[in-house]
Amino acid sequence: MSYSTADSLPTVTLDDVRGAQKMLAGVARVTAMEGSRHLSGLVGAPVHFKCENLQRTGSFKLRGAYVRIAGLLPEERAAGVVAASAGNHAQGVALASSLLGVRSTVFMPTGAPLPKVAATRHYGAEVRLHGTVVDETLAAAQEYAADTGAVFIHPFDHPDIIAGQGTVGLEILEQCPEVRTIVVGIGGGGLAAGIAIAVKSLRPDVRIVGVQAAGAAAYPPSLAAGRPVSIDNPATMADGIKVGRPGDVPFRIVGDLVDEVRTVSEDALSSALLLCLERAKLVVEPAGASPVAALLSTPEEFEGPVVAVLSGGNVDPLLMQRILRHGMAAGGRYLQVRLRLTDRPGALATLLGVLSVVDANVLDVSHVRTDPRLGLSEAEVELHLETKGPEHCAEVGQALRKAGYTVID
């Protein structure tokens, strides 16, 4: 790596990315490029998915972790490595270390999803649960590195990590040489920085758009300030890009080479995840679906052909269930309604008959008879309904009111 005389920050080059690609041959998969007819129709040009959700360990993180650990000196390898992560980076470090014969310790939050903890252990790491948030976990890992001499493997703020992630960009140019726009999620910035170096070095005409969750968007204020700044309490379902401060190394690269960073809402993220599952038959985590969310939000603003990088697919099944329900509600395909009715035999059957006429599918019914708010002969019913879209939701509400039911907002 070369270093800038201005601030001594390392600079990653195209040669570094090409070297990483050679190093990763036979280790990381060249992941598939899949077309999306639905998004192509919305954008008015071809849209392709770069499926890093199908990478080994379920995300792009293996690329950078392997390059970083492979570059360690023999004495550094002998000391072992340590990392902190709630999921994807943990698994990438664990597998890379196992492949290279290096001992790894991974600190994870106590509330980390059990499937991710189990997968990290399966790949060969010693897992230590510490802290309730990633910042506490990170501090514990860095303390462990200082005490033991183990090498701390940062998830994004290191040139070797960025070079490894940049191999995604080289593959995109090989698989879709006519690409005009690349859309990629941004957390700390390692993936976006690596892709930008690879792509802009060879195709400076390609537009690169970074995407952050609106509740965890540290890059816009940082770019405005000209330096990395921290945001307080980042909050989003997309834990893969839930980072409170850009990395120093990727920030400079993103600022120089990424054309735009935009944000997306939680509704857009859940709708994007649902689209990937239903239309593309791809399991994608919220962070990985962030480029799709951006395309869904303003499809007319992207010049095609477009490549959306699906960065990962590691999503806890329980979280997936909640997100899918949220996505269905955002798309008008799920309706939760509370109403009051007279508590007499057959009343519930009559209500369900009204819903049957308007073709609403009842998923769940909750019936409350004892509540101080209710009259002696009243009952309150909460219904969870599967609907066909916003117009159908309005039709269901109209039918209930027409039948004389009091719908509670």
Side-chain angles (χ1 to χ4, degrees):
M1 308 298 168
S2 60
Y3 286 79
S4 164
T5 57
D7 52 19
S8 298
L9 284 177
T11 300
V12 186
T13 67
L14 176 61
D15 286 342
D16 295 325
V17 180
R18 283 176 165 159
Q21 188 176 44
K22 292 178 181 178
M23 189 181 295
L24 288 168
V27 175
R29 294 173 181 151
V30 177
T31 50
M33 184 82 75
E34 298 287 345
S36 171
R37 291 184 180 179
H38 180 74
L39 284 176
S40 296
L42 293 178
V43 172
V47 175
H48 306 282
F49 293 149
K50 176 59 172 167
C51 299
E52 282 297 290
N53 59 310
L54 302 180
Q55 183 58 261
R56 296 178 71 178
T57 73
S59 88
F60 71 96
K61 289 288 190 176
L62 171 65
R63 297 174 184 263
Y66 188 91
V67 173
R68 172 76 174 102
I69 297 169
L72 295 178
L73 298 173
E75 56 269 27
E76 291 175 319
R77 290 196 188 194
V81 300
V82 61
S85 168
N88 289 348
H89 181 58
Q91 293 173 65
V93 168
L95 178 56
S97 299
S98 294
L99 294 173
L100 291 163
V102 176
R103 185 179 70 258
S104 63
T105 303
V106 176
F107 284 77
M108 304 181 76
T110 55
L114 292 179
K116 293 185 178 182
V117 175
T120 303
R121 287 191 173 122
H122 174 76
Y123 289 127
E126 177 189 347
V127 174
R128 299 192 179 192
L129 300 178
H130 185 93
T132 57
V133 296
V134 174
D135 285 345
E136 295 173 353
T137 309
L138 181 65
Q142 291 172 324
E143 182 179 351
Y144 177 89
D147 291 343
T148 66
V151 178
F152 178 68
I153 306 299
H154 200 284
F156 50 81
D157 204 11
H158 192 279
D160 288 345
I161 295 287
I162 293 170
Q165 320 305 28
T167 59
V168 175
L170 294 180
E171 290 178 17
I172 289 173
L173 294 182
E174 292 164 2
Q175 294 170 309
C176 185
E178 68 278 13
V179 63
R180 296 293 303 166
T181 306
I182 296 173
V183 192
V184 56
I186 296 185
L191 177 61
I195 289 175
I197 289 165
V199 172
K200 290 290 190 177
S201 298
L202 297 169
R203 287 279 307 282
D205 59 303
V206 174
R207 182 172 179 80
I208 299 178
V209 178
V211 182
Q212 293 206 289
Y219 263 90
S222 296
L223 292 170
R227 59 180 175 79
V229 298
S230 299
I231 59 171
D232 295 328
N233 303 316
T236 175
M237 69 175 75
D239 58 353
I241 53 174
K242 185 180 175 182
V243 178
R245 182 187 184 278
D248 292 327
V249 181
F251 174 76
R252 177 61 56 84
I253 299 167
V254 169
D256 290 343
L257 299 179
V258 172
D259 296 282
E260 177 189 0
V261 176
R262 57 175 61 196
T263 62
V264 293
S265 68
E266 298 297 285
D267 282 352
L269 286 168
S270 56
S271 295
L273 188 148
L274 184 61
L275 181 143
C276 289
L277 187 63
E278 285 193 321
R279 298 297 184 100
K281 314 307 177 192
L282 292 169
V283 175
V284 183
E285 63 189 270
S290 59
V292 179
L295 291 169
L296 285 174
S297 299
T298 54
E300 70 282 355
E301 296 182 8
F302 295 88
E303 181 185 359
V306 178
V307 173
V309 181
L310 308 183
S311 58
N314 292 318
V315 55
D316 179 64
L318 295 176
L319 176 62
M320 170 75 87
Q321 186 179 37
R322 294 198 298 270
I323 292 171
L324 290 179
R325 183 165 287 189
H326 184 83
M328 290 177 68
R333 295 174 49 200
Y334 178 85
L335 179 63
Q336 181 175 326
V337 60
R338 288 189 303 133
L339 50 84
R340 289 181 183 172
L341 47 76
T342 302
D343 188 16
R344 64 172 183 268
L348 184 58
T350 302
L351 170 61
L352 297 179
V354 173
L355 296 172
S356 176
V357 170
V358 291
D359 203 23
N361 184 32
V362 179
L363 301 176
D364 191 26
V365 178
S366 176
H367 205 179
V368 177
R369 289 187 175 88
T370 55
D371 191 293
R373 298 170 301 161
L374 299 175
L376 186 62
S377 60
E378 285 184 322
E380 185 174 291
V381 175
E382 183 176 285
L383 299 160
H384 297 246
L385 308 172
E386 183 181 4
T387 51
K388 300 173 183 178
E391 292 182 359
H392 191 210
C393 288
E395 182 185 350
V396 171
Q398 184 178 9
L400 290 171
R401 291 182 178 90
K402 187 177 179 179
Y405 294 102
T406 301
V407 178
I408 305 169
D409 295 329

